[in-house]
Amino acid sequence: MLQNINNAKPGDLIEVSGMVHNVRVTKWGGFIILRKSCGLLQTVVGDQSKFFNEQGEQITMSDLCREMAVTITGKVNEANIKDPAAFNKTIEVAVDKVEVLSRPTTAEVVDMNALKFGDEETLLRYKFDNRQVTLRNPRDMAILKVQSTIAKAFADFLTENGFTQIFTPKIVSEGAEGGANVFRMDYFGKQVYLAQSPQFYKQIGVGVYERVFEVAPAYRAEKHATSRHLNEYISLDVEMGFIKGQEDVMNLETELLRFIIERVSTVCKHEVELLGATNLPVIPASVPTWKLSEVHEILFNEHLTEDHRGEDDLAPEEERAICKYALDKFGSDFVFVTHFPSEHRAFYAMDDPQDPSLTLSFDLLMRGLEITSGGQRMHSEEAYREKMLRRGMNPDLFKFYLDTFKNGMPPHGGFAIGLERITACFLNIANVKEASMFPRDINRVAP
């Protein structure tokens, strides 16, 4: 008897286990909608269908309820199913037998499909407060399935291109970015921090493997309560050696994103359709690239926003406006913005030899949101010490890091992508928290 519903075809006898998503009783029998990891499966109950409880005693269809764990045996038939959450709309299972494996202990099982609230904010709050259950909603399942595919495609592409995956500490003695947005914690009587980034360690990794990547949590103690921010997120980090300039890093990311988009479009057709996100991002052969000062000037001249010329970063409305401009003019959902001011970038960013007040660094914007920061790093111990002292930093606190460069390092650079942000952008989700399995922000540390 066939066990895998993904390989089923009409006429097959199958045994399939899952959670009861819904039960619909009719005069002639009814339907049991079974929830699997791949989506919903429609099963049809007839006169000959039999039902058994956990003790093997015969029961009736009316004894079934949502969120029971069951095993169903039956015959696969052709079908024409309209429900967008159904994974395979061309087959259904004619039920021969249903065996109950376990049942919920509450009579008020959460039914996400029936929830109605006066506003989106209240709905999201309820969903996040009850995330351990509301994740079972097909839409939320689809979001995280796409996210899983993005992360796997990220790792697959880099592995195929000579990168080694590394695993770095998240309890550190100093924050990679510095500043106040670090979480401090007591560690056996010592003050330590939760890692903002694996930056130091992935640079060290370049001296070992030349090309490295990591998929791991990062922590930012930023007091933002917006739809764009998380205090714990998954960072997709890349660092590569022997580069000729930051353009090598940008070109790699462009090819990586092209690979990810293709993977999502082929592997996640069902999820993309269910979420109504069939307009996956467009990445042209050459991504539009402007210096920060040029973006300010373009938007001022186009009258797309107020005058931000001379500012050291992009305002949120500028990020949205330049992305719209790039899409309208160049058909691109992506924009590279380069040459940010040195004093407002991390100390490890390489200053531009042509203008040391600027850095060889970039942000990648996608559909109005920054998803990446990256650039070329310094690779000389002397350059690090000079810049640290100029910024009032104590090089002695970074001895292990500086010893890396004392012992020789190649020219290198890299970038980091926020997994939740890129998932939200791919799927046109307004709140990045929906792309987190258990979001952490300034108001939420549970469930």
Side-chain angles (χ1 to χ4, degrees):
M1 184 175 289
L2 192 69
Q3 303 288 321
N4 189 348
I5 190 65
N6 295 326
N7 299 328
K9 58 185 183 297
D12 288 338
L13 297 178
I14 191 168
E15 178 181 280
V16 58
S17 299
M19 304 294 287
V20 175
H21 188 72
N22 204 2
V23 179
R24 300 202 300 270
V25 179
T26 66
K27 293 180 180 179
W28 48 264
F31 299 93
I32 301 172
I33 308 302
L34 199 66
R35 190 175 65 249
K36 300 284 293 172
S37 63
C38 57
L40 302 185
L41 171 67
Q42 179 169 290
T43 74
V44 183
V45 175
D47 293 339
Q48 304 303 312
S49 303
K50 293 183 173 56
F51 305 87
F52 299 91
N53 64 18
E54 300 93 316
Q55 290 74 42
E57 302 164 340
Q58 191 161 348
I59 57 176
T60 67
M61 185 179 179
S62 60
D63 293 313
L64 302 182
C65 70
R66 285 181 292 105
E67 302 308 325
M68 279 182 167
V70 300
T71 295
I72 293 177
T73 55
K75 181 181 178 182
V76 178
N77 291 331
E78 291 184 1
N80 182 19
I81 300 169
K82 305 299 183 184
D83 186 350
F87 178 71
N88 190 328
K89 299 174 179 58
T90 63
I91 62 170
E92 62 188 12
V93 176
V95 175
D96 175 40
K97 180 174 65 173
V98 177
E99 299 172 89
V100 176
L101 307 176
S102 69
R103 65 183 64 229
T105 57
T106 176
E108 299 179 359
V109 174
V110 175
D111 182 4
M112 279 302 300
N113 297 314
L115 289 178
K116 296 191 185 309
F117 293 91
D119 59 85
E120 185 71 12
E121 182 179 343
T122 305
L123 173 61
L124 288 177
R125 189 182 308 116
Y126 180 88
K127 286 177 65 173
F128 297 146
D129 286 347
N130 299 276
R131 195 68 162 159
Q132 67 276 20
V133 176
T134 58
L135 278 170
R136 301 179 185 186
N137 176 263
R139 181 180 179 276
D140 293 271
M141 291 175 63
I143 293 171
L144 297 183
K145 182 63 75 69
V146 172
Q147 184 179 83
S148 173
T149 301
I150 291 172
K152 186 175 187 305
F154 173 84
D156 287 349
F157 175 87
L158 294 170
T159 301
E160 291 167 12
N161 282 275
F163 285 76
T164 299
Q165 185 169 11
I166 59 174
F167 306 92
T168 67
K170 301 307 160 203
I171 299 175
V172 297
S173 59
E174 289 292 333
E177 308 294 338
N181 61 341
V182 291
F183 287 107
R184 294 168 173 80
M185 57 183 287
D186 177 79
Y187 188 74
F188 303 109
K190 299 177 182 178
Q191 180 174 280
V192 296
Y193 309 90
L194 291 179
Q196 301 162 297
S197 158
Q199 184 62 43
F200 296 166
Y201 298 101
K202 66 177 182 174
Q203 286 183 265
I204 291 170
V206 165
V208 182
Y209 297 110
E210 296 183 13
R211 294 180 156 206
V212 297
F213 74 94
E214 182 176 50
V215 179
Y219 303 88
R220 301 283 172 131
E222 298 171 333
K223 294 182 179 180
H224 296 303
T226 76
S227 61
R228 300 157 56 98
H229 292 92
L230 290 165
N231 293 106
E232 178 185 51
Y233 65 96
I234 301 300
S235 185
L236 307 179
D237 272 274
V238 174
E239 203 75 16
M240 56 192 292
F242 298 98
I243 64 171
K244 296 179 180 178
Q246 68 171 343
E247 294 77 16
D248 289 350
V249 181
M250 294 159 66
N251 291 338
L252 177 89
E253 183 171 19
T254 300
E255 292 306 310
L256 167 63
L257 288 167
R258 187 170 287 116
F259 181 89
I260 292 173
I261 293 167
E262 176 62 26
R263 177 70 66 84
V264 170
S265 69
T266 55
V267 173
C268 298
K269 288 182 179 178
H270 165 66
E271 288 78 15
V272 166
E273 180 182 336
L274 172 59
L275 294 165
T278 51
N279 60 330
L280 288 174
V282 176
I283 186 164
S286 179
V287 174
T289 302
W290 295 289
K291 293 180 179 180
L292 175 65
S293 59
E294 293 173 333
V295 173
H296 289 322
E297 198 67 38
I298 288 169
L299 296 182
F300 177 74
N301 291 334
E302 291 287 325
H303 305 290
L304 296 177
T305 184
E306 61 185 86
D307 188 359
H308 289 280
R309 290 177 298 177
E311 294 184 7
D312 53 44
D313 205 347
L314 291 174
E317 60 267 25
E318 285 188 291
E319 292 179 343
R320 293 188 289 269
I322 196 62
C323 285
K324 182 179 186 302
Y325 179 83
L327 184 61
D328 292 343
K329 297 282 187 180
F330 303 99
S332 175
D333 279 311
F334 297 88
V335 176
F336 277 118
V337 182
T338 68
H339 292 81
F340 289 81
S342 179
E343 62 185 77
H344 294 285
R345 282 286 171 164
F347 71 89
Y348 49 77
M350 178 172 281
D351 293 335
D352 185 354
Q354 305 292 324
D355 182 354
S357 69
L358 303 176
T359 54
L360 298 177
S361 66
F362 64 85
D363 282 354
L364 179 63
L365 310 180
M366 174 184 170
R367 292 178 169 173
L369 195 64
E370 175 203 322
I371 62 166
T372 294
S373 280
Q376 187 168 355
R377 326 300 191 189
M378 296 188 297
H379 55 272
S380 154
E381 182 203 6
E382 292 81 3
Y384 274 104
R385 287 187 175 275
E386 188 277 329
K387 198 169 186 179
M388 285 178 167
L389 291 172
R390 193 168 71 240
R391 293 191 173 196
M393 300 171 65
N394 183 358
D396 293 341
L397 298 176
F398 299 85
K399 182 180 184 304
F400 84 94
Y401 179 63
L402 295 179
D403 280 352
T404 305
F405 304 97
K406 181 184 294 185
N407 285 277
M409 279 285 285
H412 62 283
F415 58 87
I417 303 173
L419 179 57
E420 292 84 357
R421 279 197 176 187
I422 192 175
T423 303
C425 285
F426 264 49
L427 301 175
N428 293 311
I429 295 170
N431 194 319
V432 71
K433 295 177 182 63
E434 287 202 83
S436 174
M437 191 169 186
F438 294 99
R440 293 291 181 260
D441 58 26
I442 61 172
N443 300 311
R444 185 173 302 282
V445 292

